[in-house]
């Protein structure tokens, strides 16, 4: 059973990642449909998933949450520092294929972006999207993230080099003047 609710959205809740969630996370990240948009090239075994959980999944610097529909896990979302000052943070997200196209990614990303600015005091939040992941691009565009650039053929996925698109939003763009 997923951990306690940390943030609640319109259609999902974001819960703490607990040890019993590791099987779901390992299974989902190894799914070829999911992994191709994450740049994961190698299979993740149970030991590696546990190491991630112990080293990064429970880190004070990184925020990692389980995306749940009711009590059912649907994916994972994380907020990761991009510099030691805390100015920049990056959101990483994945959903099990059964949950694509339902708005869960948008809801989760909205919650984490708001959390980054209001609670963590980040100034800039960014996300990377591999070419071909139209659903992820729609999330960031819907949320008002700006397309800042493309790193041409910067990742190798499924036997070919693909572009990576970078999206970002600043705190004052998200919160408005005065942080409202």
């Amino acid at each position: 059973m997923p951990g306690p609710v940390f943030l609640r959205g319109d259609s999902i809740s974001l819960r703490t990642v607990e040890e019993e969630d590791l099987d779901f996370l390992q299974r989902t990240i190894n799914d070829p449909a999911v992994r191709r948009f994450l740049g994961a090239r190698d299979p993740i075994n149970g030991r590696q998933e546990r190491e991630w959980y112990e080293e990064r999944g429970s880190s004070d610097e990184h925020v990692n949450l389980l995306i749940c529909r009711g009590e059912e896990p649907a994916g994972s979302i994380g907020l990761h520092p991009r510099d030691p000052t805390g100015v920049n943070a990056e959101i990483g997200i994945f959903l099990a294929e059964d949950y694509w196209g339902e708005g869960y990614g948008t809801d989760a990303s909205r919650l984490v972006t708001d959390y980054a600015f209001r609670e963590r005091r980040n100034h800039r939040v960014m996300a990377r999207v591999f070419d071909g992941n139209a659903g992820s691009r729609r999330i960031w565009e819907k949320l008002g993230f700006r397309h800042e650039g493309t790193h041409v053929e910067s990742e190798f996925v499924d036997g070919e080099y693909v572009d990576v698109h970078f999206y970002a939003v600043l705190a004052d763009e998200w919160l408005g003047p005065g942080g409202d």
Side-chain angles (χ1 to χ4, degrees):
M1 172 176 269
V5 173
F6 182 72
L7 296 169
R8 191 176 307 279
D10 295 332
S11 59
I12 51 94
S13 60
L14 301 181
R15 297 171 178 264
T16 59
V17 176
E18 302 299 335
E19 206 167 335
E20 49 272 10
D21 302 318
L22 297 182
D23 287 342
F24 165 78
L25 293 172
Q26 178 194 4
R27 191 171 52 255
T28 304
I29 205 163
N30 280 312
D31 179 337
V34 174
R35 124 175 141 246
R36 70 180 291 245
F37 293 124
L38 302 176
R41 291 179 192 87
D42 300 321
I44 303 297
N45 65 33
R47 179 187 52 77
Q48 292 166 312
E49 192 67 37
R50 179 165 302 287
E51 284 174 3
W52 169 85
Y53 174 71
E54 291 171 356
E55 293 170 14
R56 194 165 174 185
S58 57
S59 163
D60 289 338
E61 293 177 14
H62 300 266
V63 175
N64 292 286
L65 299 164
L66 202 64
I67 302 168
C68 294
R69 189 182 69 185
E71 296 291 318
E72 187 178 336
S76 176
I77 189 164
L79 181 68
H80 310 288
R82 296 301 298 169
D83 58 64
T85 63
V87 170
N88 295 285
E90 180 175 359
I91 294 177
I93 182 172
F94 67 83
L95 290 169
E97 190 174 11
D98 290 346
Y99 299 97
W100 293 359
E102 302 295 324
Y104 303 136
T106 302
D107 201 6
S109 298
R110 180 183 302 110
L111 290 168
V112 169
T113 302
D114 204 58
Y115 169 76
F117 292 131
R118 293 185 190 278
E119 303 295 327
R120 306 242 342 159
R121 296 302 207 203
N122 293 114
H123 177 68
R124 182 175 174 277
V125 173
M126 56 140 331
R128 285 182 280 174
V129 178
F130 285 24
D131 219 24
N133 191 346
S136 188
R137 287 183 80 156
R138 274 194 306 276
I139 288 172
W140 306 116
E141 291 165 0
K142 265 193 254 180
L143 293 178
F145 280 56
R146 157 185 65 264
H147 184 262
E148 290 190 327
T150 303
H151 290 199
V152 177
E153 295 186 0
S154 62
E155 289 287 340
F156 191 73
V157 178
D158 286 342
E160 65 180 342
Y161 290 98
V162 298
D163 297 348
V164 179
H165 303 274
F166 288 79
Y167 288 83
V169 66
L170 300 175
D172 62 347
E173 295 169 331
W174 185 265
L175 300 172
D180 297 332

